[in-house]
Amino acid sequence: MAERSFAKEVQKLKKGEGETFTGEGILAITKALLQNGVGYVGGYQGSPISHLMDVLSDSQEILTELGVHFEASASEATATAMLAASVHYPIRGAVTYKSVVGTNVASDALSNLASGGVTGGALIIVGEDYGEGSSIMQERTYAFAMKSQVWMLDPRPNLPSIVKSVGDGFELSEISNTPVMLQVGIRSCHVHGHFIAEDNKPPKVTVSDALENPQRNLDRIVLPPATYIHEEEKLTKRLPAAQKFIIDKEINERFGKDNSKVGIILQGGTYNTVIRALNRLGMADIYGETDVDMLVLNCVYPLVPDQILDFCEGKDAILIVEEGQPNYVEQQIAHMLYQKGKTVKLEGKGVLPMGGEYTGQVMVEGLGTFFSEHAPNMVPTAKVMSNEEPVAIPDLSKSLPSRPPGFCTGCPERPIFAATKLVEEELGEHHIASDIGCHLFSIMPPFDLGATTMGYGLGPASASALQNVNKSGRRSISFVGDGGFWHNGLTSSVGNAVFNKNDNVIVIVDNFYSAATGGQDNLSSRADNKTKQTQNSIVSACKGMGVKWIRQLDNTYDVTKMRDTLKEALTTDADGPKVIVASSECMLNKQRRVKPQMAKAAKEGKRVVRPRFGVDEDICTGDHACMRLSGCPSLSVKDTGDPLRDDPVAAIDQTCVGCGNCGEVADAAVLCPSFFQADIITNPSAREKRRAKGTGKVIAWLQTRRDAKRVTFA
C-alpha cells in the first residue's frame, strides 16, 4: 500500500497522438517513457521521486500490454545494475531513484555501466533532493556524472520540457553509447501542467527478444584490457558525439536579446525561479518574456565550450546560476574563458549564496545585486531611483515556535523508544546507533535517543566497532527498519555482526512497509501483493544468516513486554548479536486501509466500534511524565479552569486513533491511572442503546446532585 494511489491518474497514460495530457510532473515522465518505446523500467523509491515508482506500480497493466517489464528494485545499486540489459541489446531502459543517497548506493554499478557503455538507451531518472526541503545530507549528484562520465540533463520545470528531455535522453544515450541522468528536483516532480501527447510505442526489442537471441560483445565487458579502451573511448568518441548531439538537437535554449552586454547562464531546473525573480525586479513580464540574454542549460553535463564561448562573446559580465556546492558549472566555464584569454567578468557564488537552496527571495536579491553592479540601466528606473525594494519574506523562525519532526499519531515505533528510555532509567545510558527511516525521529524530543546515522540499513554496522573486549560490560543498541533491513541491512549489518561475533543488541523495527519512502510493500509486508512476493519472515532471514538469540514481538504497543525483552537482550550471557524484531503495522497505512472499510460497514448498517482514549482530569496530577515518554501529537495539555490547580492537565484530542500507547506507557512507567478507554459505537445493538440510555440518566442524576451540593456550599 503506497502513500498515494494513482489508479485513476494512470488512465491518462493511454492518451494518444494530438490529445492534451494534463497532470503532475511524475505522471508526465511515465507517459514520456511509454511514448519513447521504453523496454524495461525499475528503481527504488525516495523523495522527491517516490511517487514515480507508485505511478509505475499502478500502471503495470498498461506496461504489460505494451510489453514493458517493470520491477521495484531491492536497492539503487540493483536498479542501476538492471540497466545492463542495454549494454549488449538495443533496448531502451530506465531506472529511478532519489539522489544523492541513491546515487551513493548505485555508484559501483554506475561506474561499471559507464565504463563499458550501452547499446540501447539507458536513462537514470534522479530525484535531486537538495536544499532546505531535503531530508538528506547536502550534496549534489553532479560529481557522479563528472566522475563516471555519464551525461546529465536538467530540464526546465514545465511538462513539455520534461517530456522532451526523456526522449532527448534516450537519443543522447544511444548516439554516444553512454548512460544519461535526467535530474528532476521537487520543482519538476510536482509541477502541474499540460502537453500534447503522442501514441505509446511498444519497445522495438523487448527483454524477451533479448533472451531468445543472446549477444555478447567482449569490448563492452568491464575487464582489463577493455577498461583502458573504455577510458579512451569516453574522451575521443562518446564525449564529442554527445556535444554534437547537444548542439544539433538544440538541447540548451537561449532566451532574451543576444545583444545584451550582460547575460545569465543557468541550470534548466532553476529557470522558473530566475524568471520569477526577473519579474519581481521589473525585468520580465508574467509570461516570462525578457530582454535579458539567457542560456538555459537543459544539459548541464557535458558543457559545450563553443556554445559557452559564443554566448559570452561581446559581454561585459556573466552570471552563473548554479544551485548547490561545489560550483562545478562555474568552475568549468571559468576554465574555458581563461583558456581562451577572455576578460569577461564571471559572477556566480558570491553574488549568490555559496550553498543552500535558491529560493525566490534569494534569487531576487542575487540578481538585483548583479544587475545593479553590471547593468543598472537594464533595471527599470523606478526600481533603481526610488527606495522601493522587493518585498522581503519575513523570517518566520523568529516569530513561530520550532516544529521538530516526530512520529505520527499512533505510530507503533513510539512505544519502542519509550521502552528504551525506561530501560535506560534502570540500566543507565547506552550508545545508540540510529538508521534511515521513520525510527530516526527518535533522535528528537521527547526521546533524544541516537548518536549516529551512517546510511540506509547501516545502523547496526555503525555500532560494530563499539565492542567491550571482555564481553562483560555495557552493550550498544542499534536500530534498523524493515525497509533498511531488506535494502542493505541483512548483509551489511546483521550478517556482519554474526560473522564478527558482535555482542551488541540490534532492534529491527518492522512496520510492514517501507514507510518512510511512502508506504510501499517490501519482502516482509503482511499484505497480499498481486505482482510481488511478500510475507517473507525477517526472523527466518536472520536465523538463516546465523543469528542464535532472536526474539519476535508482534505488538510493539505492549511497552512492558518491549521493555523487558530489551532488558533481557542487554543482560543475557548469550554469545553473538542479540536481535529483537519489533512488529506492528504503520498506523498511517493502517488508517488508510481500515477507515474505508469502517465507513463502508457503517453505511451498510453494520456495528462498528472505534476505540478512543481520554484522560480523567480529576485524577491527572499534571506532572506530564506521560508526554515525556510518549510525545504523541494527540496528547497535549489543557486548563481545567480550577483556580486551585496551577498546572494544566494532560488531554487527548480528536485526532486520537486509539492505539493505546499513552495508557501503556503510563502503566509501564508506573505513572498514573488517569487514562481510560472509551469505545465509540456506530449502529449499536438494541441492548447497547438501552444500556447507554440508562447510563446517561445515572450520569445526569449524579451531575445534578453534584451541582446542587456546590450551590449549597457556595
Side-chain angles (χ1 to χ4, degrees):
M1 177 184 291
E3 182 177 274
R4 177 179 170 187
S5 172
F6 290 86
K8 293 181 180 179
E9 288 93 333
V10 296
Q11 297 306 313
K12 297 179 182 179
L13 299 177
K14 298 179 180 179
K15 286 183 177 289
E17 182 73 34
E19 294 186 83
T20 299
F21 184 102
T22 59
E24 198 173 11
I26 49 175
L27 197 64
I29 292 173
T30 309
K31 173 60 175 168
L33 291 174
L34 300 181
Q35 291 181 174
N36 283 280
V38 70
Y40 63 98
V41 189
Y44 194 87
Q45 61 274 354
S47 175
I49 210 74
S50 295
H51 287 169
L52 182 52
M53 290 299 294
D54 298 335
V55 167
L56 290 165
S57 180
D58 287 339
S59 59
Q60 282 198 68
E61 182 179 341
I62 299 172
L63 297 176
T64 302
E65 289 175 359
L66 290 168
V68 180
H69 171 68
F70 166 71
E71 65 179 55
S73 306
S75 71
E76 297 83 359
T78 307
T80 308
M82 183 184 182
L83 290 172
S86 294
V87 170
H88 298 297
Y89 306 96
I91 310 173
R92 288 184 168 183
V95 298
T96 175
Y97 45 74
K98 171 197 184 91
S99 175
V100 68
V101 287
T103 321
N104 290 338
V105 173
S107 58
D108 191 19
L110 181 63
S111 295
N112 282 278
L113 182 71
S115 182
V118 294
T119 301
L123 189 66
I124 303 169
I125 304 164
V126 178
E128 186 77 350
D129 192 13
Y130 181 87
E132 63 184 22
S134 173
S135 61
I136 58 169
M137 72 290 288
Q138 297 297 280
E139 293 184 5
R140 301 175 63 192
T141 314
Y142 201 96
F144 288 89
M146 297 175 69
K147 173 187 71 68
S148 298
Q149 289 290 286
V150 301
W151 319 137
M152 177 178 279
L153 302 179
D154 186 6
R156 289 190 292 135
N158 63 69
L159 263 57
S161 294
I162 295 169
V163 170
K164 179 179 181 297
S165 69
V166 173
D168 290 340
F170 279 127
E171 287 188 52
L172 175 58
S173 177
E174 290 163 344
I175 285 174
S176 62
N177 301 119
T178 303
V180 172
M181 284 182 170
L182 173 63
Q183 176 178 284
V184 283
I186 193 167
R187 298 183 185 106
S188 295
C189 289
H190 301 308
V191 69
H192 284 256
H194 66 273
F195 65 94
I196 303 303
E198 297 176 6
D199 290 334
N200 294 332
K201 298 180 179 125
K204 293 179 181 178
V205 178
T206 67
V207 289
S208 297
D209 295 334
L211 281 171
E212 297 301 324
N213 300 278
Q215 298 179 29
R216 177 176 178 272
N217 183 349
L218 188 60
D219 291 340
R220 292 265 178 233
I221 301 175
V222 184
L223 184 71
T227 49
Y228 307 114
I229 300 173
H230 296 163
E231 183 180 18
E232 181 183 2
E233 185 182 282
K234 284 181 179 180
L235 303 175
T236 61
K237 295 181 180 179
R238 301 184 200 173
L239 178 60
Q243 291 173 327
K244 183 178 185 301
F245 179 85
I246 292 165
I247 295 298
D248 292 345
K249 279 285 191 174
E250 299 181 346
I251 301 299
N252 298 326
E253 301 171 283
R254 195 162 176 176
F255 298 97
K257 294 184 177 179
D258 58 12
N259 60 353
S260 173
K261 287 296 182 181
V262 297
I264 303 175
I265 300 177
L266 61 144
Q267 293 172 273
T270 64
Y271 175 81
N272 290 4
T273 315
V274 169
I275 285 295
R276 175 58 179 145
L278 291 174
N279 172 253
R280 291 179 65 191
L281 290 167
M283 302 174 68
D285 63 22
I286 59 173
Y287 303 105
E289 295 295 327
T290 179
D291 290 340
V292 178
D293 195 7
M294 296 190 299
L295 178 61
V296 180
L297 300 176
N298 292 312
C299 181
V300 291
Y301 190 78
L303 302 179
V304 184
D306 288 345
Q307 185 178 51
I308 299 295
L309 293 169
D310 177 68
F311 178 80
C312 295
E313 187 65 34
K315 289 186 168 50
D316 297 328
I318 298 291
L319 175 65
I320 309 296
V321 179
E322 177 184 11
E323 193 172 54
Q325 183 69 12
N327 53 342
Y328 298 115
V329 174
E330 184 180 342
Q331 291 176 28
Q332 292 175 78
I333 293 176
H335 180 66
M336 294 173 193
L337 295 172
Y338 175 78
Q339 277 192 320
K340 294 298 182 179
K342 301 297 183 181
T343 57
V344 58
K345 176 67 175 177
L346 194 65
E347 298 275 20
K349 303 296 184 183
V351 172
L352 290 163
M354 291 287 288
E357 183 179 2
Y358 284 178
T359 60
Q361 186 64 24
V362 165
M363 201 72 82
V364 166
E365 293 170 357
L367 266 61
T369 300
F370 173 76
F371 284 106
S372 296
E373 291 182 4
H374 299 287
N377 60 307
M378 293 187 69
V379 185
T381 305
K383 295 283 185 181
V384 176
M385 299 302 293
S386 74
N387 293 325
E388 178 188 351
E389 294 183 1
V391 178
I393 299 174
D395 185 358
L396 298 180
S397 66
K398 296 179 180 178
S399 57
L400 294 176
S402 60
R403 184 173 178 246
F407 296 104
C408 302
T409 299
C411 177
E413 300 184 11
R414 183 179 287 107
I416 297 173
F417 298 104
T420 305
K421 293 292 285 187
L422 292 172
V423 169
E424 285 201 320
E425 284 185 6
E426 183 177 351
L427 301 182
E429 291 188 1
H430 289 66
H431 176 84
I432 296 178
S434 302
D435 205 324
I436 304 299
C438 297
H439 42 278
L440 188 57
F441 292 140
S442 62
I443 67 172
M444 306 301 292
F447 302 113
D448 298 307
L449 296 170
T452 56
T453 170
M454 290 290 106
Y456 201 27
L458 296 177
S462 65
S464 61
L466 299 168
Q467 300 287 328
N468 267 308
V469 179
N470 56 14
K471 300 289 185 182
S472 61
R474 191 165 296 182
R475 293 166 178 151
S476 72
I477 306 171
S478 57
F479 292 92
V480 60
D482 49 344
F485 174 83
W486 293 115
H487 179 276
N488 189 31
L490 177 60
T491 54
S492 297
S493 284
V494 177
N496 180 73
V498 171
F499 182 70
N500 289 289
K501 297 184 178 180
N502 288 349
D503 190 46
N504 295 329
V505 176
I506 299 172
V507 181
I508 301 172
V509 182
D510 173 27
N511 57 29
F512 303 1
Y513 308 91
S514 294
T517 59
Q520 294 83 6
D521 284 340
N522 58 39
L523 276 162
S524 54
S525 294
R526 309 296 173 92
D528 291 322
N529 190 308
K530 295 180 180 178
T531 61
K532 304 290 183 291
Q533 179 179 314
T534 54
Q535 303 178 41
N536 296 281
S537 169
I538 293 177
V539 171
S540 297
C542 289
K543 287 181 177 179
M545 193 60 75
V547 175
K548 304 300 182 186
W549 194 102
I550 188 166
R551 300 289 184 270
Q552 168 80 52
L553 279 73
D554 283 322
N555 179 20
T556 62
Y557 296 103
D558 189 340
V559 178
T560 301
K561 187 173 182 180
M562 186 70 221
R563 177 199 62 192
D564 294 344
T565 305
L566 187 56
K567 181 180 177 182
E568 180 189 358
L570 291 168
T571 56
T572 181
D573 293 332
D575 293 329
K578 271 61 70 174
V579 176
I580 301 172
V581 182
S583 303
S584 277
E585 184 177 10
C586 165
M587 185 55 72
L588 279 181
N589 277 334
K590 182 177 180 179
Q591 291 299 312
R592 293 189 187 106
R593 178 173 57 81
V594 171
K595 276 187 175 181
Q597 296 173 353
M598 295 177 69
K600 181 181 178 183
K603 189 175 181 179
E604 293 173 351
K606 297 178 181 178
R607 181 177 179 272
V608 177
V609 180
R610 291 178 294 142
R612 288 292 184 273
F613 282 79
V615 175
D616 189 329
E617 61 186 53
D618 291 330
I619 299 176
C620 176
T621 61
D623 68 352
H624 308 146
C626 53
M627 298 176 197
R628 292 193 293 273
L629 285 171
S630 172
C632 180
S634 69
L635 187 60
S636 60
V637 294
K638 75 171 185 178
D639 186 4
T640 63
D642 188 342
L644 299 179
R645 301 186 68 172
D646 296 329
D647 296 327
V649 297
I652 299 176
D653 64 24
Q654 72 279 4
T655 63
C656 171
V657 294
C659 71
N661 177 55
C662 49
E664 286 286 342
V665 167
D667 180 65
V670 194
L671 297 177
C672 70
S674 61
F675 290 91
F676 65 85
Q677 177 177 338
D679 291 335
I680 301 174
I681 303 175
T682 304
N683 301 320
S685 64
R687 181 180 177 183
E688 287 171 329
K689 289 179 180 178
R690 289 193 299 271
R691 183 179 178 183
K693 187 176 181 180
T695 302
K697 289 181 178 179
V698 172
I699 292 173
W701 178 78
L702 290 172
Q703 289 176 334
T704 302
R705 183 185 177 195
R706 182 188 62 181
D707 293 341
K709 287 185 176 181
R710 284 179 175 176
V711 171
T712 303
F713 179 77

